[in-house]
Amino acid sequence: MTNNLDSNTSIKDHYSYPSWEKLKSLALSWDENLTNLFAKDPKRAEKYSLSVGQIFLDFSKNHIDEDIFEALCEIANDAKLPAWIQALYSGDLVNNTEHRPALHTALRTPELCPSEKQAEVKAALEKVETLVNEVHTGQWLGHTGKAITDVVNIGIGGSDLGPRMVVTALKAFKNKSLEVHFAANIDGADLADQLEALNPETTLFVIASKSFSTLETRENALAARRWLLNFGCKHEQLQHHFVAVSSNISAAIEFGIAENNILPMWSWVGGRYSLWSAIGLPIAFALGFDNFRRLLDGAAVMDRHFHDAPLKENMPAVLALLTFWYSSTQGYESQAILPYAQRLNRLPAYLQQLDMESLGKRVNHNGNPLDYNSGLILWGTEGTNGQHSFHQLLHQGTRKVLVDFIASIKPMSGLDSHHHYLSANCIGQSQALLAGKSFEQAYEELLESGKTEDEARKIAPHKVIPGNRPSNTLLLEQLTPESLGSLIALYEHKVYCLGVLWDLNPFDQWGVELGKQLGMKIYPALTSGECPDSWDSSTRSLIAKLGATGK
Ligand code: F6P
């Protein structure tokens, strides 16, 4: 019988887990069709769904049955996932290559984490609250004595993507007296476009950089400083316009930021897990401190669930096990994130860093090459825009793509009929992936539309949609700080689980270093026009072309 999932490829991944052979044989003998699974079990949707706080997950449209689900949970136990979860919260050195804990949970669920972090976290949050209140109430003044009207967050990667995504998503909770902007790229157009519309008298810059050594952030911060000085702000007045968030206090002071204006970051919080720390300052500026607090509370709901729930009911673990299943037994390499909520349009970009910077690894915890695939390629955009773009490939392409649909039950605008169309399209897409369209259906449709039998036979194959393609659907009661906090924490913990299942460290990112280092060597070659002969001819020719136009 044909294996519906993977008729052409054999399983190439290899794991030493005792349950792996069992899972593999279940995968090889699997011949069920999703439509049949639903027909056989009217309670399937109920059986394969979970609720945590304001989040509901329907994972029934997946190629699993009780045996497979059971075997996946056995794999999780073989990988000692429950112990790893406890290790995360206990502050064990789960980031083994940098000898650090990863205690982002301590920022929102301190009661589950080591008590010595609590005072530091509390003090940092108090500093965020004070600063935000000073700006919101007009007590913080620019160098000419005017209240601040605009904040520009200068940071990149984890010091940009999370705060930017949250501020965009929670527009409905925005503080009306302050505009928050973001500049990340080393392309000067990014900062220049922001500055164009801003007044140096009333603009506050947040220099957000855990390391305070990131090229993009340093150059944008220097440009912001020049902008203020050119306007007439004196050196000693710059403190009215700069605050920093960093774990490198001395570098921030050296840059010229008053010590009192520096908020802490810690080595035990990874950059891409840091929006809950003072790196979330732009969130608190944009939405008010109370809403920032609500975001943390939402994450805490997911943290407690992840900490306490048994594997089968553990939402992050279940999502991770599903990804593990498809990746390791059916060759899936791609994951689409499709939020059917306009204001979650930055979510895919945020999750790209969270997921791909964490899981894009080629060796295990001990440094040995992996015998299996690790992180998937994650991408996506907001629905329904994606439907008019890449959904064609999801429905009829030959590539295998995992899909997470995300929708809000309550609308975010007063346009109710829009919301029903939006929701209908979200459900329609997952139903189309599941059910597809057979040759017979396509043929009949063509006849009904007036085509001859001959024409219908020729066109029908092009209209066949195979279906039987999996998806998850996540529903938020409403897009609120609480539900968003839970959603982000859900994906953070899913990534952690995959790190455990794939036996890799999801908290380092050594792979990003080489390109940056080479860029630093190429910069002088570009500006001087002098290039070592030992460099390859492509690099030398590109330097000659870009160097010439850059002068
Ligand atoms: O590009 C890698 C990276 O280190 C990310 O992990 C990090 O979020 C980003 O750069 C920014 O780093 P920093 O906050 O230290 O400026």
Side-chain angles (χ1 to χ4, degrees), residues 164-207:
R164 195 195 286 248
M165 180 271 287
V166 172
V167 168
T168 310
L170 298 178
K171 185 171 180 276
F173 298 83
K174 203 174 154 297
N175 179 294
K176 302 275 183 290
S177 65
L178 196 66
E179 286 300 323
V180 175
H181 315 261
F182 293 88
N185 201 337
I186 190 62
D187 185 337
D190 193 4
L191 182 66
D193 286 354
Q194 306 293 337
L195 296 184
E196 226 170 57
L198 297 178
N199 177 356
E201 293 176 278
T202 58
T203 299
L204 176 68
F205 292 95
V206 177
I207 312 303

CSV table of all heavy atoms in Angstrom, one decimal, residues 164-207:
chain,number,residue,atom,x,y,z
A,164,ARG,N,9.5,45.2,18.4
A,164,ARG,CA,8.8,45.8,17.2
A,164,ARG,C,7.5,45.0,17.0
A,164,ARG,O,6.5,45.5,16.6
A,164,ARG,CB,9.8,45.7,16.1
A,164,ARG,CG,9.3,46.6,14.9
A,164,ARG,CD,10.1,46.2,13.6
A,164,ARG,NE,11.5,46.6,13.6
A,164,ARG,CZ,11.9,47.5,12.7
A,164,ARG,NH1,11.1,48.1,11.9
A,164,ARG,NH2,13.2,47.8,12.7
A,165,MET,N,7.6,43.7,17.0
A,165,MET,CA,6.5,42.8,16.8
A,165,MET,C,5.4,43.1,17.8
A,165,MET,O,4.2,43.2,17.4
A,165,MET,CB,6.9,41.3,16.8
A,165,MET,CG,5.8,40.3,16.5
A,165,MET,SD,5.0,39.8,18.0
A,165,MET,CE,6.2,38.8,18.8
A,166,VAL,N,5.7,43.2,19.1
A,166,VAL,CA,4.7,43.4,20.1
A,166,VAL,C,4.0,44.8,19.9
A,166,VAL,O,2.8,44.9,20.0
A,166,VAL,CB,5.3,43.2,21.5
A,166,VAL,CG1,4.3,43.6,22.6
A,166,VAL,CG2,5.8,41.8,21.7
A,167,VAL,N,4.8,45.8,19.7
A,167,VAL,CA,4.3,47.1,19.5
A,167,VAL,C,3.3,47.2,18.4
A,167,VAL,O,2.2,47.8,18.4
A,167,VAL,CB,5.4,48.2,19.4
A,167,VAL,CG1,4.9,49.5,18.9
A,167,VAL,CG2,6.2,48.3,20.7
A,168,THR,N,3.6,46.5,17.3
A,168,THR,CA,2.8,46.4,16.1
A,168,THR,C,1.5,45.7,16.4
A,168,THR,O,0.4,46.1,16.1
A,168,THR,CB,3.5,45.7,14.9
A,168,THR,OG1,4.8,46.3,14.8
A,168,THR,CG2,2.7,45.9,13.6
A,169,ALA,N,1.7,44.5,17.1
A,169,ALA,CA,0.5,43.6,17.4
A,169,ALA,C,-0.5,44.3,18.3
A,169,ALA,O,-1.7,44.1,18.2
A,169,ALA,CB,1.0,42.3,18.0
A,170,LEU,N,0.0,45.1,19.3
A,170,LEU,CA,-0.9,45.6,20.3
A,170,LEU,C,-1.2,47.1,20.1
A,170,LEU,O,-1.3,47.9,21.1
A,170,LEU,CB,-0.3,45.4,21.7
A,170,LEU,CG,-0.1,43.9,22.0
A,170,LEU,CD1,0.6,43.7,23.4
A,170,LEU,CD2,-1.4,43.1,22.0
A,171,LYS,N,-1.3,47.5,18.9
A,171,LYS,CA,-1.6,48.9,18.5
A,171,LYS,C,-2.8,49.4,19.2
A,171,LYS,O,-2.9,50.6,19.6
A,171,LYS,CB,-1.8,48.9,17.0
A,171,LYS,CG,-2.0,50.3,16.4
A,171,LYS,CD,-2.0,50.2,14.9
A,171,LYS,CE,-2.2,51.6,14.3
A,171,LYS,NZ,-3.6,51.9,14.1
A,172,ALA,N,-3.8,48.5,19.5
A,172,ALA,CA,-5.0,48.9,20.1
A,172,ALA,C,-4.8,49.4,21.5
A,172,ALA,O,-5.7,50.1,22.1
A,172,ALA,CB,-6.0,47.7,20.1
A,173,PHE,N,-3.7,49.1,22.1
A,173,PHE,CA,-3.4,49.4,23.5
A,173,PHE,C,-2.4,50.6,23.6
A,173,PHE,O,-1.9,50.9,24.7
A,173,PHE,CB,-2.8,48.2,24.3
A,173,PHE,CG,-3.8,47.0,24.3
A,173,PHE,CD1,-3.9,46.2,23.2
A,173,PHE,CD2,-4.6,46.8,25.4
A,173,PHE,CE1,-4.8,45.1,23.2
A,173,PHE,CE2,-5.5,45.8,25.4
A,173,PHE,CZ,-5.6,44.9,24.3
A,174,LYS,N,-2.2,51.2,22.5
A,174,LYS,CA,-1.2,52.3,22.4
A,174,LYS,C,-1.4,53.5,23.3
A,174,LYS,O,-2.5,54.0,23.4
A,174,LYS,CB,-1.1,52.7,20.9
A,174,LYS,CG,0.2,53.2,20.5
A,174,LYS,CD,0.2,53.5,19.0
A,174,LYS,CE,1.1,54.6,18.6
A,174,LYS,NZ,0.8,55.9,19.2
A,175,ASN,N,-0.3,54.0,23.9
A,175,ASN,CA,-0.4,55.3,24.6
A,175,ASN,C,-0.4,56.4,23.5
A,175,ASN,O,0.5,56.4,22.7
A,175,ASN,CB,0.8,55.4,25.5
A,175,ASN,CG,0.9,56.7,26.2
A,175,ASN,OD1,1.0,57.8,25.6
A,175,ASN,ND2,0.7,56.6,27.5
A,176,LYS,N,-1.4,57.2,23.6
A,176,LYS,CA,-1.6,58.2,22.5
A,176,LYS,C,-0.6,59.4,22.5
A,176,LYS,O,-0.4,60.0,21.5
A,176,LYS,CB,-3.0,58.8,22.5
A,176,LYS,CG,-4.1,57.7,22.5
A,176,LYS,CD,-4.5,57.4,21.0
A,176,LYS,CE,-5.6,56.4,20.9
A,176,LYS,NZ,-5.4,55.0,21.4
A,177,SER,N,0.1,59.6,23.7
A,177,SER,CA,1.0,60.8,23.7
A,177,SER,C,2.4,60.5,23.2
A,177,SER,O,3.2,61.5,23.1
A,177,SER,CB,1.0,61.2,25.2
A,177,SER,OG,1.7,60.2,26.0
A,178,LEU,N,2.7,59.3,22.8
A,178,LEU,CA,4.1,59.0,22.5
A,178,LEU,C,4.1,58.1,21.2
A,178,LEU,O,3.4,57.1,21.2
A,178,LEU,CB,4.7,58.3,23.7
A,178,LEU,CG,6.2,58.2,23.7
A,178,LEU,CD1,6.9,59.6,23.9
A,178,LEU,CD2,6.7,57.3,24.9
A,179,GLU,N,5.0,58.4,20.3
A,179,GLU,CA,5.2,57.5,19.1
A,179,GLU,C,6.5,56.8,19.3
A,179,GLU,O,7.5,57.4,19.7
A,179,GLU,CB,5.3,58.4,17.8
A,179,GLU,CG,4.0,58.9,17.3
A,179,GLU,CD,2.9,57.9,17.0
A,179,GLU,OE1,3.3,56.8,16.5
A,179,GLU,OE2,1.7,58.1,17.3
A,180,VAL,N,6.4,55.5,19.0
A,180,VAL,CA,7.7,54.7,19.1
A,180,VAL,C,8.1,54.2,17.8
A,180,VAL,O,7.3,53.7,17.0
A,180,VAL,CB,7.4,53.5,20.1
A,180,VAL,CG1,8.7,52.6,20.1
A,180,VAL,CG2,7.1,54.0,21.5
A,181,HIS,N,9.4,54.4,17.4
A,181,HIS,CA,9.9,54.0,16.1
A,181,HIS,C,11.0,53.1,16.3
A,181,HIS,O,11.6,53.0,17.4
A,181,HIS,CB,10.4,55.3,15.4
A,181,HIS,CG,9.5,56.5,15.5
A,181,HIS,ND1,8.7,56.8,14.5
A,181,HIS,CD2,9.3,57.4,16.5
A,181,HIS,CE1,8.0,57.9,14.8
A,181,HIS,NE2,8.3,58.3,16.0
A,182,PHE,N,11.4,52.4,15.2
A,182,PHE,CA,12.5,51.4,15.3
A,182,PHE,C,13.5,51.6,14.2
A,182,PHE,O,13.0,51.8,13.0
A,182,PHE,CB,11.9,50.0,15.2
A,182,PHE,CG,11.1,49.6,16.5
A,182,PHE,CD1,9.7,49.9,16.5
A,182,PHE,CD2,11.7,49.0,17.6
A,182,PHE,CE1,9.0,49.6,17.6
A,182,PHE,CE2,10.9,48.7,18.7
A,182,PHE,CZ,9.6,49.0,18.7
A,183,ALA,N,14.7,51.5,14.5
A,183,ALA,CA,15.8,51.6,13.4
A,183,ALA,C,16.8,50.5,13.7
A,183,ALA,O,17.3,50.4,14.8
A,183,ALA,CB,16.5,52.9,13.4
A,184,ALA,N,17.0,49.6,12.7
A,184,ALA,CA,17.8,48.4,13.0
A,184,ALA,C,19.0,48.3,12.0
A,184,ALA,O,20.1,48.1,12.4
A,184,ALA,CB,17.0,47.2,12.9
A,185,ASN,N,18.7,48.5,10.7
A,185,ASN,CA,19.6,48.2,9.6
A,185,ASN,C,20.8,49.1,9.6
A,185,ASN,O,20.7,50.3,9.9
A,185,ASN,CB,18.8,48.2,8.3
A,185,ASN,CG,19.4,47.4,7.2
A,185,ASN,OD1,20.6,47.1,7.2
A,185,ASN,ND2,18.6,47.0,6.3
A,186,ILE,N,21.9,48.5,9.1
A,186,ILE,CA,23.1,49.4,8.8
A,186,ILE,C,22.9,50.2,7.5
A,186,ILE,O,23.6,51.1,7.2
A,186,ILE,CB,24.4,48.5,8.8
A,186,ILE,CG1,25.7,49.4,8.7
A,186,ILE,CG2,24.4,47.6,7.6
A,186,ILE,CD1,25.8,50.3,9.9
A,187,ASP,N,21.9,49.9,6.7
A,187,ASP,CA,21.5,50.7,5.6
A,187,ASP,C,21.0,52.0,6.2
A,187,ASP,O,20.0,52.1,6.9
A,187,ASP,CB,20.4,50.1,4.8
A,187,ASP,CG,20.1,50.9,3.5
A,187,ASP,OD1,20.4,52.1,3.5
A,187,ASP,OD2,19.6,50.3,2.6
A,188,GLY,N,21.8,53.1,5.9
A,188,GLY,CA,21.5,54.4,6.6
A,188,GLY,C,20.1,54.9,6.3
A,188,GLY,O,19.5,55.7,7.0
A,189,ALA,N,19.4,54.3,5.2
A,189,ALA,CA,18.1,54.7,4.9
A,189,ALA,C,17.1,54.4,6.0
A,189,ALA,O,16.1,55.1,6.2
A,189,ALA,CB,17.6,54.0,3.6
A,190,ASP,N,17.4,53.4,6.8
A,190,ASP,CA,16.5,53.0,7.9
A,190,ASP,C,16.4,54.1,8.9
A,190,ASP,O,15.3,54.7,9.1
A,190,ASP,CB,17.0,51.7,8.5
A,190,ASP,CG,16.0,51.0,9.4
A,190,ASP,OD1,14.8,51.5,9.5
A,190,ASP,OD2,16.3,50.0,10.1
A,191,LEU,N,17.5,54.5,9.5
A,191,LEU,CA,17.5,55.6,10.5
A,191,LEU,C,17.1,56.9,9.8
A,191,LEU,O,16.3,57.7,10.4
A,191,LEU,CB,18.9,55.7,11.2
A,191,LEU,CG,18.9,56.7,12.3
A,191,LEU,CD1,18.0,56.4,13.4
A,191,LEU,CD2,20.4,56.9,12.8
A,192,ALA,N,17.7,57.2,8.7
A,192,ALA,CA,17.4,58.5,8.0
A,192,ALA,C,15.9,58.7,7.8
A,192,ALA,O,15.4,59.8,8.0
A,192,ALA,CB,18.2,58.6,6.7
A,193,ASP,N,15.3,57.6,7.3
A,193,ASP,CA,13.8,57.7,7.1
A,193,ASP,C,13.1,58.0,8.4
A,193,ASP,O,12.0,58.8,8.3
A,193,ASP,CB,13.3,56.4,6.5
A,193,ASP,CG,13.7,56.2,5.0
A,193,ASP,OD1,14.3,57.2,4.5
A,193,ASP,OD2,13.4,55.2,4.5
A,194,GLN,N,13.5,57.5,9.5
A,194,GLN,CA,12.8,57.8,10.8
A,194,GLN,C,13.1,59.2,11.2
A,194,GLN,O,12.2,60.0,11.6
A,194,GLN,CB,13.4,56.9,11.9
A,194,GLN,CG,13.3,55.4,11.6
A,194,GLN,CD,11.9,54.9,11.5
A,194,GLN,OE1,11.0,55.5,12.1
A,194,GLN,NE2,11.7,53.8,10.8
A,195,LEU,N,14.4,59.7,11.1
A,195,LEU,CA,14.8,61.0,11.6
A,195,LEU,C,14.1,62.1,10.8
A,195,LEU,O,13.8,63.2,11.3
A,195,LEU,CB,16.3,61.2,11.5
A,195,LEU,CG,17.1,60.2,12.4
A,195,LEU,CD1,18.6,60.6,12.3
A,195,LEU,CD2,16.6,60.3,13.9
A,196,GLU,N,13.8,61.8,9.5
A,196,GLU,CA,13.3,62.9,8.6
A,196,GLU,C,12.1,63.6,9.3
A,196,GLU,O,11.9,64.8,9.2
A,196,GLU,CB,12.8,62.2,7.3
A,196,GLU,CG,13.2,62.9,6.1
A,196,GLU,CD,13.0,62.0,4.9
A,196,GLU,OE1,11.8,61.6,4.7
A,196,GLU,OE2,13.9,61.7,4.2
A,197,ALA,N,11.2,62.8,9.9
A,197,ALA,CA,10.0,63.3,10.4
A,197,ALA,C,10.1,63.7,11.9
A,197,ALA,O,9.1,64.0,12.5
A,197,ALA,CB,8.9,62.3,10.2
A,198,LEU,N,11.3,63.6,12.5
A,198,LEU,CA,11.4,63.8,14.0
A,198,LEU,C,12.0,65.1,14.3
A,198,LEU,O,12.8,65.7,13.6
A,198,LEU,CB,12.2,62.6,14.6
A,198,LEU,CG,11.5,61.3,14.4
A,198,LEU,CD1,12.4,60.2,15.0
A,198,LEU,CD2,10.1,61.2,15.1
A,199,ASN,N,11.7,65.6,15.6
A,199,ASN,CA,12.2,66.8,16.1
A,199,ASN,C,13.3,66.5,17.1
A,199,ASN,O,13.0,65.8,18.1
A,199,ASN,CB,11.0,67.6,16.7
A,199,ASN,CG,11.5,68.9,17.4
A,199,ASN,OD1,12.7,69.2,17.4
A,199,ASN,ND2,10.5,69.6,17.9
A,200,PRO,N,14.5,67.0,16.9
A,200,PRO,CA,15.6,66.6,17.9
A,200,PRO,C,15.3,67.1,19.3
A,200,PRO,O,15.9,66.6,20.3
A,200,PRO,CB,16.8,67.4,17.3
A,200,PRO,CG,16.5,67.7,15.9
A,200,PRO,CD,15.0,67.8,15.8
A,201,GLU,N,14.5,68.1,19.4
A,201,GLU,CA,14.1,68.6,20.8
A,201,GLU,C,13.3,67.7,21.6
A,201,GLU,O,13.3,67.7,22.8
A,201,GLU,CB,13.4,69.9,20.7
A,201,GLU,CG,14.2,71.1,20.1
A,201,GLU,CD,13.3,72.3,19.9
A,201,GLU,OE1,12.6,72.4,18.9
A,201,GLU,OE2,13.3,73.2,20.8
A,202,THR,N,12.5,66.8,20.9
A,202,THR,CA,11.5,66.0,21.6
A,202,THR,C,11.7,64.5,21.4
A,202,THR,O,10.7,63.7,21.5
A,202,THR,CB,10.1,66.4,21.2
A,202,THR,OG1,10.0,66.3,19.8
A,202,THR,CG2,9.8,67.9,21.6
A,203,THR,N,12.9,64.1,20.9
A,203,THR,CA,13.1,62.7,20.6
A,203,THR,C,14.1,62.0,21.6
A,203,THR,O,15.1,62.6,21.9
A,203,THR,CB,13.7,62.6,19.2
A,203,THR,OG1,12.8,63.1,18.2
A,203,THR,CG2,14.0,61.1,18.8
A,204,LEU,N,13.7,60.9,22.1
A,204,LEU,CA,14.5,60.1,23.0
A,204,LEU,C,15.0,58.8,22.3
A,204,LEU,O,14.1,58.1,21.7
A,204,LEU,CB,13.7,59.7,24.2
A,204,LEU,CG,14.4,58.9,25.3
A,204,LEU,CD1,15.6,59.6,26.0
A,204,LEU,CD2,13.4,58.4,26.3
A,205,PHE,N,16.3,58.5,22.3
A,205,PHE,CA,16.8,57.3,21.7
A,205,PHE,C,17.0,56.2,22.8
A,205,PHE,O,17.6,56.5,23.8
A,205,PHE,CB,18.1,57.6,21.0
A,205,PHE,CG,17.9,58.5,19.7
A,205,PHE,CD1,18.1,59.8,19.8
A,205,PHE,CD2,17.5,57.9,18.5
A,205,PHE,CE1,17.9,60.7,18.7
A,205,PHE,CE2,17.3,58.7,17.4
A,205,PHE,CZ,17.5,60.1,17.5
A,206,VAL,N,16.6,55.0,22.5
A,206,VAL,CA,16.9,53.9,23.3
A,206,VAL,C,17.9,53.1,22.6
A,206,VAL,O,17.7,52.6,21.5
A,206,VAL,CB,15.7,53.0,23.6
A,206,VAL,CG1,16.1,51.8,24.4
A,206,VAL,CG2,14.6,53.8,24.3
A,207,ILE,N,19.2,53.0,23.1
A,207,ILE,CA,20.2,52.2,22.4
A,207,ILE,C,20.1,50.8,23.1
A,207,ILE,O,20.5,50.6,24.2
A,207,ILE,CB,21.6,52.8,22.6
A,207,ILE,CG1,21.6,54.3,22.2
A,207,ILE,CG2,22.6,52.1,21.7
A,207,ILE,CD1,21.1,54.6,20.9
